[in-house]
Amino acid sequence: MPRTSKPRPTAWWKWPAVGSAAAMLVVVLIAMVMWVRRPAPQTNFAALSAWRSPTQALLRPPVAAAWDTKPRLGGEFFKIKPSGEMHAQ
C-alpha cells in the first residue's frame, strides 16, 4: 500500500515577512536614488566675499569717511570757516 503524504500546512507568517522586506527594499532603493540625484548646493561666492561684519560699521568713527577720501591736488582737505565776534566786521 502506497503511503500518501499529508499536505503541508502553509506558513501564513511568511507572506507578511516577505512583503515587508520587499517594501523596505523599495524604500531603501528610492532613498538611494534621491540621494544620488540631489542637486549640488548653489553658493554665491561673490556675496560671501563681499560680506562684512556688522560690528565694523558700528565701531567705525563718523570721521572715517574723510580718512578714506583723498584731497584733490591743490585743494584743501578741510575748509575751516571763521566764526565768532572777532571776524564779524
Side-chain angles (χ1 to χ4, degrees), residues 9-78:
T10 58
W12 58 270
W13 54 271
K14 285 185 181 179
W15 290 110
V18 171
S20 63
M24 186 64 83
L25 180 65
V26 168
V27 167
V28 168
L29 287 175
I30 289 173
M32 287 177 58
V33 166
M34 290 176 66
W35 184 73
V36 168
R37 290 188 173 201
R38 72 180 189 278
Q42 299 294 325
T43 306
N44 189 354
F45 292 111
L48 288 175
S49 64
W51 183 84
R52 299 290 179 252
S53 172
T55 56
Q56 285 179 339
L58 294 174
L59 297 175
R60 198 171 166 121
V63 296
W67 296 341
D68 293 338
T69 59
K70 297 176 185 159
R72 293 185 317 202
L73 187 60
E76 298 174 1
F77 195 69
F78 292 107

